[in-house]
Amino acid sequence: MWGIIPAAGIGSRIQPLAFSKELLPVGSRLDNGIERPCAVSEYLVERMIHGGASKICFVISPGKSDIMEYYGASYGTASIAYVVQPQASGLCDAIFQAAPLIPADESVIVGLPDTVWFPERALAELPEGTLSFLLFPVENPQVFDAVVLDENMRVQEIQVKREDASSHWIWGAFKMPGHVLEALRQLWIARNREDEYFGTLVNAYLAQGGEAVGVKAGESYVDVGTLHGYRSAIGLLSEAAQHDTLTGARVALGWPAGRLPRELHDLNRE
């Protein structure tokens, strides 16, 4: 299974930074009992691995070589690949840059790298063989993509950043077979590549007879792309770390290959 991580955006809401927003230090890992910082995108990488991904593709812009330097060729059990999005042209364009890598009969997960959410194994709840959305309840659905479902959990509409959102469930990640990804790409091309948001493209897909389901397996979701979200993520992770039964508060599957723990300072000696 593949994971696609669109990471080409400039992160204007949280600038200025001296590095890509996906590498913003949020939370920590334990290294031989020593707590060390980790990048916010590591939470998504680990959750994708828990969801079954063995290959992960970062879609980056030409100026984001620091992501390549940070992650290198692997993370935990997953191999890492990179695709360049030449110009920032929206989420749909970023996702479809990676489409040539995905076989028609292989599943793919897509998630956003500047988010932190629980439970960490929620992606495993998404079914095979269809387009499915991992849903989270939020208090402010108007700033996200709210997902409207029928009584059978089929997606009826995605309300993209609408002030009058009629659902408080938003998508935080989604999964589909490779052939559905290609069908969506072809539809996007037929629509003159004008869909910037994935939700508007999915609405067109549904109008043409496509199907999608929503899975309400998410419990908490934070967008770290703003200072308020950054503070909320720190609070969420701190609260989670206090509960022994809640895993995922710290990244734990290993180090990015570009940041293997060599020649690190011993914090006890500093």
Side-chain angles (χ1 to χ4, degrees):
M1 183 187 300
W2 277 91
I4 296 176
I5 300 179
I10 62 174
S12 58
R13 296 177 301 167
I14 201 168
Q15 292 294 346
L17 295 173
F19 45 81
S20 296
K21 64 173 182 172
E22 293 80 12
L23 302 183
L24 183 69
V26 177
S28 62
R29 60 163 52 79
L30 291 177
D31 175 31
N32 294 322
I34 298 173
E35 195 169 19
R36 302 190 186 277
C38 64
V40 61
S41 52
E42 291 186 59
Y43 293 95
L44 175 61
V45 171
E46 292 212 342
R47 281 151 174 71
M48 284 184 164
I49 294 173
H50 286 309
S54 59
K55 295 159 290 188
I56 294 174
C57 176
F58 279 89
V59 181
I60 61 175
S61 65
K64 287 197 167 184
S65 60
D66 56 349
I67 294 178
M68 296 177 62
E69 294 169 1
Y70 188 86
Y71 279 99
S74 64
Y75 187 102
T77 58
S79 299
I80 305 288
Y82 303 89
V83 170
V84 174
Q85 183 185 26
Q87 298 177 350
S89 302
L91 181 58
C92 286
D93 182 80
I95 292 170
F96 296 137
Q97 294 290 337
L101 298 176
I102 315 300
D105 59 351
E106 189 166 357
S107 294
V108 58
I109 300 169
V110 179
L112 304 177
D114 52 355
T115 61
V116 175
W117 46 262
F118 290 91
E120 65 170 340
R121 297 179 183 272
L123 284 170
E125 301 296 321
L126 298 182
E128 297 285 343
T130 190
L131 174 60
S132 58
F133 291 88
L134 175 59
L135 305 183
F136 296 84
V138 298
E139 296 180 356
N140 54 339
Q142 69 275 6
V143 301
F144 298 101
D145 287 5
V147 180
V148 180
L149 305 174
D150 67 10
E151 63 277 5
N152 295 314
M153 307 305 288
R154 291 191 298 260
V155 176
Q156 299 297 291
E157 180 188 13
I158 296 183
Q159 300 173 336
V160 180
K161 297 176 174 58
R162 274 177 39 181
E163 289 294 332
D164 62 342
S166 60
S167 170
H168 69 281
W169 289 92
I170 65 162
W171 69 258
F174 49 90
K175 177 181 176 181
M176 72 191 94
H179 66 85
V180 173
L181 178 67
E182 178 59 20
L184 287 166
R185 190 181 75 88
Q186 292 297 333
L187 177 59
W188 175 68
I189 293 172
R191 289 166 58 85
N192 298 316
R193 306 173 187 254
E194 293 181 353
D195 294 288
E196 178 181 358
Y197 299 107
F198 192 70
T200 62
L201 179 63
V202 170
N203 288 336
Y205 175 71
L206 297 175
Q208 290 193 356
E211 295 185 354
V213 299
V215 178
K216 295 180 177 180
E219 297 175 1
S220 54
Y221 182 92
V222 175
D223 176 359
V224 192
T226 65
L227 281 175
H228 173 73
Y230 177 76
R231 297 187 187 101
S232 298
I234 296 296
L236 178 63
L237 292 169
S238 298
E239 180 182 354
Q242 297 175 11
H243 298 279
D244 295 336
T245 58
L246 185 59
T247 59
R250 293 188 178 92
V251 297
L253 293 182
W255 289 76
R259 286 291 182 272
L260 291 176
R262 54 184 181 272
E263 299 180 3
L264 293 174
H265 294 292
D266 186 343
L267 298 183
N268 295 322
R269 297 179 180 177
E270 294 180 353

